[in-house]
């Protein structure tokens, strides 16, 4: 029996291999996934980690100890810098660092603008 008539209706032919039509990045994930994931991971880290760190230290040791230990929250920048070392995590780490730095710049810029506006309004 020929290959043409097996389970096909009206002379259908077998479709070309589906895998051959996929882009070359298909098995490695979408090319935008790791930059977006890294950027938003950095953004969330800058927003969540300092507050969570302070809350846990306050719960364990009190306000005075939080004031002494809070500068250690800057150690969170070790994570993206550490991700820059291995080749396979370098792209994610670069975008995570970008997300962290850009979030800090936006927060600082908005804070400065609000303080300037409030001082200019009172004067």
């Amino acid at each position: 029996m020929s290959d043409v008539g097996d389970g096909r209706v009206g002379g259908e032919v077998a479709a070309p291999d589906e895998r051959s039509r996929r882009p070359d990045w298909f098995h490695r994930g979408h090319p935008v996934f790791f930059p977006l994931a890294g950027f938003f991971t950095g953004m969330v880290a800058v927003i969540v980690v300092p507050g969570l760190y302070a809350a846990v230290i306050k719960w364990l040791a009190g306000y005075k100890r939080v004031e002494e230990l809070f500068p250690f929250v800057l150690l969170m920048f070790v994570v993206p810098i550490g991700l820059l070392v291995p080749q396979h995590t370098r792209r994610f780490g670069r975008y995570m660092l970008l997300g962290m730095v850009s979030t800090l710049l936006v927060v600082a810029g908005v804070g400065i603008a609000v303080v300037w506006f409030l001082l200019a309004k009172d004067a």
Side-chain angles (χ1 to χ4, degrees):
M1 183 169 251
S2 76
D3 192 43
V4 176
D6 290 343
R8 294 188 182 91
V9 180
E12 290 178 354
V13 292
D17 191 12
E18 290 291 323
R19 289 174 282 171
S20 66
R21 291 190 301 178
R22 293 180 180 158
D24 64 344
W25 51 261
F26 185 78
H27 294 288
R28 289 180 276 129
H30 196 275
V32 179
F33 175 76
F34 285 112
L36 281 176
F39 180 83
F40 287 113
T41 301
M43 189 174 75
V44 168
V46 166
I47 294 169
V48 173
V49 170
L52 190 61
Y53 176 75
V56 169
I57 298 296
K58 182 187 81 66
W59 179 63
L60 292 175
Y63 283 112
K64 187 72 170 170
R65 194 73 175 144
V66 171
E67 291 175 3
E68 296 169 0
L69 295 177
F70 194 74
F72 287 108
V73 79
L74 294 176
L75 288 175
M76 72 179 171
F77 282 100
V78 169
V79 174
I81 293 170
L83 288 172
L84 291 174
V85 175
Q87 179 66 33
H88 63 280
T89 60
R90 191 167 292 157
R91 187 173 182 201
F92 183 84
R94 186 172 49 226
Y95 282 100
M96 184 176 175
L97 194 59
L98 176 69
M100 293 172 92
V101 170
S102 62
T103 302
L104 286 175
L105 289 175
V106 167
V107 168
V110 169
I112 289 169
V114 167
V115 168
W116 175 79
F117 177 76
L118 291 174
L119 290 176
K121 186 177 178 184
D122 282 344

